[in-house]
Amino acid sequence: MIRLSKSVVGKAESTAVAHVIEDIGYLGMGETVGTFEHALEDYIGGGRRCICVNSGTAALHLAIQAVTRPGDEVLVPSFTFVASLQAITAAKCIPVCCDIDPVTLTLDLEDAERRITPRTTAMMPVYYGSNCVMAAQYQEFARRHHLRLVEDAAHAFGCTCQGWKIGSTGDVVCFSFDGIKNITSGEGGAIFTTDEDVIRQVSDARLLGIQKDSEKRYAGKRSWQFDVVDQGYRYHMSNIFAAIGIVQLSRFESEFAPKRRAIALEYTRLLEGNPDVRLIPMDYANEVVPHIFPLEILNGKRKKLEEALKAHDIQYGIQYFPNHLLSYFKSDYRLPVTEGVYDRIISIPMHPELTDSDIHLICDLINQL
């Protein structure tokens, strides 16, 4: 089988976890989490603080909760994993599904602007397929409309826009470190911001709302007498997760990023010019470290490609079903670009352990449609 995606972990990660179990002896949130956060801050730069949690969804939830009030509306593309919208409703806010740009497949600002109401207080653009080309425009749009900006950068760890790393600028940026992302901590996520009020809120909220408990956890202690003034959750990251993440971060620039970029560039070379394929334009050579490799299959040939991939035991993804068509989030309006793209989109395998022969087989099947 050629996997669509996979965790790339090994002896170094095992050794780091063993150190937590055998030498540190505390598996919950402690000093190792603080070490991981500082390493991430150094990597992203921009003077940002990093707060780690146990999933990317938890990061989005806490970020939205910190910058909104219950009942607020949040602009979000319908074309995203359902986690984005669940995070908004978990914060007792209302997701307002927006259409996507047909070229970038990310939030269409013209459509978003039409959906602003007096209750709109925030927006959550999603960097689908690691495409960050609109990042600066999203920041300017949010400033112009006086909106809080929570960037869903789950696909985009290690990517840059106009020379700056995603997460190093802007309002609040959230990453995911689940098992198949650009780096993994097993499960996990992170919130980056310079907003001290957001930092305080998410730091406390990840530990059941216990005030200032994070500082004690970093020192291997915990709070026995405390106050709670806001809703909290059990969203903290464990030392085990952080130990994996520290090793993964150390491997990212030397191993994972170059391999992912090389795979994307080879896919592009082999598939460009195919009249049945639309490649999503991205700067894989310099700015984008792809988490997935989506493309649109034209002329009604996606089903034929699915059958060919299945016949050769090659996994693929159909990402994502439009959220505005789901029962829980159903809108009373259509989003034609999103709905059309869903009928054509497919993701082909993308992970650092793909071989040249894997890549050429996949592209041969596509080019034989």
Side-chain angles (χ1 to χ4, degrees):
M1 178 189 293
I2 299 177
R3 298 272 297 272
L4 174 65
S5 54
K6 65 180 297 187
S7 304
V8 180
V9 293
K11 181 63 176 177
E13 288 84 358
S14 298
T15 299
V17 170
H19 173 64
V20 170
I21 294 171
E22 298 171 9
D23 302 323
I24 296 175
Y26 183 69
L27 310 188
M29 179 179 162
E31 182 181 358
T32 310
V33 175
T35 300
F36 186 34
E37 289 173 342
H38 290 316
L40 289 166
E41 289 166 355
D42 289 343
Y43 176 75
I44 294 295
R48 307 267 128 173
R49 281 285 306 280
C50 170
I51 305 298
C52 281
V53 289
N54 61 9
S55 72
T57 308
L60 292 171
H61 176 193
L62 295 186
I64 289 292
Q65 180 173 281
V67 301
T68 61
R69 293 173 297 181
D72 285 356
E73 294 177 351
V74 181
L75 304 173
V76 62
S78 177
F79 194 61
T80 181
F81 189 45
V82 69
S84 304
L85 279 79
Q86 291 283 24
I88 294 169
T89 54
K92 300 182 174 61
C93 292
I94 301 167
V96 176
C97 287
C98 301
D99 217 341
I100 54 172
D101 178 86
V103 176
T104 67
L105 305 190
T106 60
L107 181 68
D108 183 332
L109 289 178
E110 289 187 7
D111 189 70
E113 192 163 35
R114 288 193 292 269
R115 304 195 188 282
I116 293 175
T117 75
R119 293 200 298 173
T120 308
T121 61
M123 63 182 291
M124 183 192 287
V126 178
Y127 297 136
Y128 175 76
S130 313
N131 195 351
C132 308
V133 68
M134 295 286 291
Q137 293 178 56
Y138 293 142
Q139 292 177 12
E140 192 281 328
F141 181 92
R143 285 192 295 268
R144 178 156 48 89
H145 290 284
H146 308 289
L147 303 176
R148 296 305 299 263
L149 179 64
V150 176
E151 299 170 55
D152 182 344
H155 290 193
F157 184 81
C159 296
T160 62
C161 178
Q162 300 176 7
W164 42 266
K165 279 196 177 73
I166 296 298
S168 67
T169 66
D171 191 359
V172 184
V173 182
C174 298
F175 293 106
S176 170
F177 303 136
D178 78 16
I180 61 171
K181 292 302 194 301
N182 284 356
I183 66 168
T184 184
S185 54
E187 291 285 352
I191 301 159
F192 281 79
T193 187
T194 58
D195 186 322
E196 291 295 332
D197 188 53
V198 171
I199 292 165
R200 177 192 60 77
Q201 288 190 61
V202 300
S203 295
D204 291 348
R206 67 175 169 175
L207 287 161
L208 299 169
I210 298 172
Q211 291 188 315
K212 299 182 179 180
D213 196 32
S214 287
E215 289 78 3
K216 292 185 176 64
R217 297 291 184 120
Y218 294 143
K221 303 175 183 178
R222 62 182 300 175
S223 302
W224 296 110
Q225 293 181 318
F226 51 80
D227 195 12
V228 174
V229 298
D230 292 305
Q231 175 66 52
Y233 309 89
R234 198 165 180 82
Y235 279 176
H236 59 275
M237 178 176 279
S238 72
N239 278 345
I240 287 180
F241 284 1
I244 297 170
I246 291 167
V247 175
Q248 287 272 298
L249 181 59
S250 74
R251 299 176 64 185
F252 180 70
E253 287 292 342
S254 61
E255 296 179 55
F256 301 151
K259 181 64 174 179
R260 285 180 175 273
R261 284 177 164 143
I263 293 167
L265 288 169
E266 185 67 355
Y267 275 147
T268 300
R269 185 184 72 82
L270 294 171
L271 295 174
E272 60 187 356
N274 184 328
D276 295 322
V277 172
R278 189 185 83 85
L279 297 167
I280 316 306
M282 293 189 232
D283 183 3
Y284 295 116
N286 301 295
E287 295 206 321
V288 173
V289 181
H291 158 54
I292 60 176
F293 194 86
L295 43 88
E296 290 184 59
I297 302 300
L298 311 178
N299 305 315
K301 293 186 176 181
R302 190 181 73 180
K303 186 64 176 178
K304 184 178 179 182
L305 175 59
E306 291 179 57
E307 292 171 354
L309 294 172
K310 288 177 183 176
H312 288 80
D313 209 11
I314 299 169
Q315 293 183 340
Y316 61 89
I318 307 294
Q319 298 155 306
Y320 294 103
F321 188 79
N323 284 278
H324 73 284
L325 300 180
L326 297 172
S327 297
Y328 191 53
F329 301 111
K330 191 176 292 291
S331 70
D332 58 0
Y333 52 84
R334 303 295 299 272
L335 297 175
V337 178
T338 297
E339 293 167 30
V341 164
Y342 179 71
D343 290 335
R344 300 185 298 271
I345 202 74
I346 193 167
S347 294
I348 56 178
M350 169 57 72
H351 58 80
E353 292 189 350
L354 285 175
T355 66
D356 288 342
S357 61
D358 293 336
I359 296 166
H360 282 257
L361 172 59
I362 292 163
C363 291
D364 284 345
L365 294 174
I366 296 171
N367 287 330
Q368 291 168 13
L369 289 177

